Amino acid sequence: MMKPLEPPDTHCLSSAIGWLELGNVAEARNELSQIQPAEQHHPDVLEVRWLICAEAKGWEEGLTVARALVESAPKRSSGWLHRAYALRRVPNGGVKQAWEALLPAAEKFPEEPIIPYNLACYACQLQQLDEARAWLERALAVAGIERIKTMALADPDLEPLWEEIRAK
């Protein structure tokens, strides 16, 4: 188990999150750079670094960070989700690569609804509508109909299933 960050690194991490919430990616990066080198690969630091990459749409760096997060904290579902999300967006990536990267996480994290939800999105985009329906049902079973239905009806990835989703 990874030891928690300690001050002053926790202060820098909190400041980075604050700057990110304000939309200032440059200052968020600056705050992270002040965390001591030995803690730069701490999962909490990698989480925030990935969020910075996502905000900046720096998907190649985001993929590298997500891979490091999966490696350093394989029991965190977020690393698996971030990796798939970035894989979908990098050059030479795509929905199929995202699908393949996220699929093993479904067994590892059966109580995480975003994993089957994202798999439903990927399956839908791959024109595998029966597979998409099955994953969406799994997400509904974990998170509840209202939460997932609201997300799904706002998600263009699931547009081919919107009529069915509205009927739920």
Side-chain angles (χ1 to χ4, degrees):
M1 187 162 140
M2 183 74 61
K3 70 178 182 73
L5 285 176
E6 295 181 8
D9 294 332
T10 53
H11 302 304
C12 294
L13 188 65
S14 293
S15 294
I17 293 167
W19 282 116
L20 193 55
E21 288 172 352
L22 292 170
N24 192 326
V25 171
E27 285 299 327
R29 280 188 197 276
N30 183 48
E31 288 294 337
L32 282 190
S33 74
Q34 295 178 48
I35 293 174
Q36 60 186 313
E39 299 296 357
Q40 286 292 326
H41 289 288
H42 189 284
D44 294 343
V45 175
L46 293 172
E47 289 275 3
V48 175
R49 189 174 309 286
W50 190 89
L51 292 171
I52 290 168
C53 292
E55 182 68 26
K57 300 195 182 338
W59 300 118
E60 291 181 60
E61 181 185 355
L63 179 57
T64 300
V65 171
R67 285 176 171 152
L69 183 56
V70 169
E71 188 175 312
S72 69
K75 293 183 179 179
R76 282 192 187 195
S77 62
S78 58
W80 296 79
L81 286 158
H82 297 336
R83 183 178 64 182
Y85 198 87
L87 266 169
R88 182 174 179 180
R89 288 156 179 82
V90 294
N92 301 316
V95 175
K96 186 170 182 6
Q97 290 85 343
W99 164 269
E100 290 169 355
L102 190 57
L103 193 57
E107 281 186 40
K108 291 179 182 292
F109 308 100
E111 298 303 314
E112 172 53 62
I114 300 304
I115 291 170
Y117 178 87
N118 282 7
L119 288 168
C121 291
Y122 300 154
C124 206
Q125 292 303 298
L126 292 168
Q127 308 298 314
Q128 298 173 0
L129 297 185
D130 288 339
E131 187 84 13
R133 287 181 188 98
W135 285 110
L136 192 58
E137 287 301 320
R138 196 161 156 184
L140 288 164
V142 174
I145 192 162
E146 287 311 312
R147 177 178 173 205
I148 297 299
K149 184 176 179 179
T150 301
M151 283 177 23
L153 291 174
D155 193 328
D157 281 349
L158 294 171
E159 187 173 1
L161 299 179
W162 280 356
E163 288 303 315
E164 294 173 41
I165 295 166
R166 278 190 195 97
K168 291 191 179 294

Short mmCIF file of all heavy atoms in Angstrom, two decimals, residues 3 5-15 31-32 34-40 45:
data_model
loop_
_atom_site.label_atom_id
_atom_site.label_comp_id
_atom_site.label_asym_id
_atom_site.label_seq_id
_atom_site.Cartn_x
_atom_site.Cartn_y
_atom_site.Cartn_z
N LYS A 3 2.11 4.89 0.81
CA LYS A 3 1.94 5.78 1.96
C LYS A 3 1.34 7.11 1.48
O LYS A 3 1.54 7.52 0.35
CB LYS A 3 3.26 5.99 2.67
CG LYS A 3 4.28 6.82 1.90
CD LYS A 3 5.55 7.01 2.74
CE LYS A 3 6.55 7.86 2.02
NZ LYS A 3 6.23 9.26 1.93
N LEU A 5 0.68 11.08 0.95
CA LEU A 5 1.55 12.25 0.81
C LEU A 5 1.54 13.01 2.13
O LEU A 5 0.57 12.97 2.88
CB LEU A 5 1.01 13.17 -0.29
CG LEU A 5 1.22 12.76 -1.72
CD1 LEU A 5 0.53 13.75 -2.65
CD2 LEU A 5 2.69 12.67 -2.07
N GLU A 6 2.61 13.73 2.35
CA GLU A 6 2.72 14.54 3.55
C GLU A 6 3.05 15.98 3.17
O GLU A 6 3.52 16.23 2.06
CB GLU A 6 3.82 13.98 4.46
CG GLU A 6 3.48 12.59 4.99
CD GLU A 6 4.54 12.03 5.91
OE1 GLU A 6 5.48 12.76 6.27
OE2 GLU A 6 4.42 10.85 6.26
N PRO A 7 2.79 16.92 4.09
CA PRO A 7 3.17 18.31 3.81
C PRO A 7 4.67 18.41 3.57
O PRO A 7 5.42 17.64 4.17
CB PRO A 7 2.76 19.05 5.09
CG PRO A 7 1.71 18.19 5.70
CD PRO A 7 2.09 16.77 5.34
N PRO A 8 5.14 19.26 2.75
CA PRO A 8 4.40 20.28 2.01
C PRO A 8 3.79 19.77 0.69
O PRO A 8 3.09 20.51 0.01
CB PRO A 8 5.46 21.35 1.73
CG PRO A 8 6.72 20.55 1.58
CD PRO A 8 6.59 19.40 2.57
N ASP A 9 4.05 18.50 0.35
CA ASP A 9 3.53 17.98 -0.92
C ASP A 9 2.00 18.01 -0.97
O ASP A 9 1.42 18.28 -2.02
CB ASP A 9 4.04 16.55 -1.16
CG ASP A 9 5.55 16.51 -1.37
OD1 ASP A 9 6.11 17.52 -1.85
OD2 ASP A 9 6.16 15.49 -1.06
N THR A 10 1.35 17.75 0.16
CA THR A 10 -0.12 17.79 0.17
C THR A 10 -0.62 19.20 -0.13
O THR A 10 -1.65 19.35 -0.79
CB THR A 10 -0.68 17.33 1.53
OG1 THR A 10 -0.06 18.08 2.57
CG2 THR A 10 -0.47 15.84 1.74
N HIS A 11 0.12 20.20 0.33
CA HIS A 11 -0.28 21.59 0.06
C HIS A 11 -0.17 21.90 -1.43
O HIS A 11 -1.05 22.54 -2.01
CB HIS A 11 0.56 22.57 0.88
CG HIS A 11 0.47 22.34 2.35
ND1 HIS A 11 -0.72 22.33 3.05
CD2 HIS A 11 1.43 22.08 3.27
CE1 HIS A 11 -0.49 22.09 4.33
NE2 HIS A 11 0.82 21.93 4.48
N CYS A 12 0.92 21.43 -2.03
CA CYS A 12 1.11 21.65 -3.47
C CYS A 12 0.02 20.93 -4.27
O CYS A 12 -0.52 21.48 -5.23
CB CYS A 12 2.49 21.17 -3.91
SG CYS A 12 3.85 22.11 -3.22
N LEU A 13 -0.31 19.72 -3.85
CA LEU A 13 -1.35 18.96 -4.54
C LEU A 13 -2.70 19.67 -4.42
O LEU A 13 -3.41 19.82 -5.42
CB LEU A 13 -1.43 17.54 -3.97
CG LEU A 13 -2.34 16.58 -4.72
CD1 LEU A 13 -1.81 16.33 -6.14
CD2 LEU A 13 -2.46 15.26 -3.97
N SER A 14 -3.03 20.14 -3.23
CA SER A 14 -4.28 20.87 -3.03
C SER A 14 -4.32 22.15 -3.86
O SER A 14 -5.34 22.49 -4.45
CB SER A 14 -4.48 21.23 -1.56
OG SER A 14 -4.68 20.06 -0.80
N SER A 15 -3.20 22.84 -3.91
CA SER A 15 -3.12 24.06 -4.72
C SER A 15 -3.30 23.74 -6.20
O SER A 15 -3.99 24.48 -6.92
CB SER A 15 -1.79 24.77 -4.50
OG SER A 15 -1.71 25.25 -3.18
N GLU A 31 2.28 23.99 -9.66
CA GLU A 31 2.15 23.47 -8.29
C GLU A 31 2.62 22.02 -8.21
O GLU A 31 3.32 21.63 -7.28
CB GLU A 31 0.72 23.59 -7.79
CG GLU A 31 0.30 25.00 -7.48
CD GLU A 31 1.03 25.63 -6.30
OE1 GLU A 31 1.56 24.90 -5.43
OE2 GLU A 31 1.07 26.87 -6.24
N LEU A 32 2.22 21.20 -9.20
CA LEU A 32 2.67 19.79 -9.19
C LEU A 32 4.18 19.68 -9.31
O LEU A 32 4.79 18.78 -8.73
CB LEU A 32 2.00 19.00 -10.31
CG LEU A 32 0.56 18.56 -10.10
CD1 LEU A 32 0.15 17.58 -11.19
CD2 LEU A 32 0.31 17.96 -8.74
N GLN A 34 6.32 21.37 -7.95
CA GLN A 34 6.96 21.67 -6.67
C GLN A 34 6.91 20.49 -5.69
O GLN A 34 7.54 20.54 -4.63
CB GLN A 34 6.31 22.90 -6.05
CG GLN A 34 6.56 24.14 -6.88
CD GLN A 34 5.89 25.36 -6.30
OE1 GLN A 34 6.00 25.63 -5.12
NE2 GLN A 34 5.20 26.10 -7.15
N ILE A 35 6.19 19.44 -6.08
CA ILE A 35 6.18 18.24 -5.25
C ILE A 35 7.52 17.55 -5.39
O ILE A 35 8.08 17.46 -6.49
CB ILE A 35 5.01 17.32 -5.66
CG1 ILE A 35 3.69 18.02 -5.30
CG2 ILE A 35 5.11 15.94 -5.02
CD1 ILE A 35 2.45 17.31 -5.78
N GLN A 36 8.05 17.07 -4.28
CA GLN A 36 9.39 16.49 -4.31
C GLN A 36 9.47 15.33 -5.32
O GLN A 36 8.50 14.60 -5.52
CB GLN A 36 9.83 16.06 -2.92
CG GLN A 36 8.96 15.03 -2.25
CD GLN A 36 9.40 14.78 -0.83
OE1 GLN A 36 10.58 14.61 -0.57
NE2 GLN A 36 8.45 14.78 0.09
N PRO A 37 10.61 15.17 -5.96
CA PRO A 37 10.78 14.16 -7.01
C PRO A 37 10.38 12.75 -6.58
O PRO A 37 9.78 12.01 -7.35
CB PRO A 37 12.27 14.23 -7.35
CG PRO A 37 12.66 15.63 -7.01
CD PRO A 37 11.82 16.00 -5.81
N ALA A 38 10.65 12.38 -5.35
CA ALA A 38 10.33 11.03 -4.88
C ALA A 38 8.82 10.77 -4.86
O ALA A 38 8.39 9.62 -4.86
CB ALA A 38 10.91 10.82 -3.49
N GLU A 39 8.03 11.82 -4.86
CA GLU A 39 6.57 11.67 -4.80
C GLU A 39 5.86 11.96 -6.12
O GLU A 39 4.64 11.90 -6.20
CB GLU A 39 5.99 12.59 -3.71
CG GLU A 39 6.51 12.30 -2.32
CD GLU A 39 6.12 10.93 -1.79
OE1 GLU A 39 5.38 10.18 -2.46
OE2 GLU A 39 6.57 10.60 -0.67
N GLN A 40 6.63 12.23 -7.17
CA GLN A 40 6.01 12.56 -8.46
C GLN A 40 5.20 11.40 -9.05
O GLN A 40 4.32 11.62 -9.87
CB GLN A 40 7.07 13.04 -9.46
CG GLN A 40 7.57 14.43 -9.17
CD GLN A 40 6.53 15.51 -9.40
OE1 GLN A 40 5.68 15.42 -10.28
NE2 GLN A 40 6.59 16.55 -8.58
N VAL A 45 -0.77 12.16 -7.01
CA VAL A 45 -0.15 13.14 -7.91
C VAL A 45 -0.47 12.77 -9.36
O VAL A 45 -0.82 13.64 -10.17
CB VAL A 45 1.38 13.21 -7.67
CG1 VAL A 45 2.05 14.13 -8.69
CG2 VAL A 45 1.67 13.67 -6.24
#
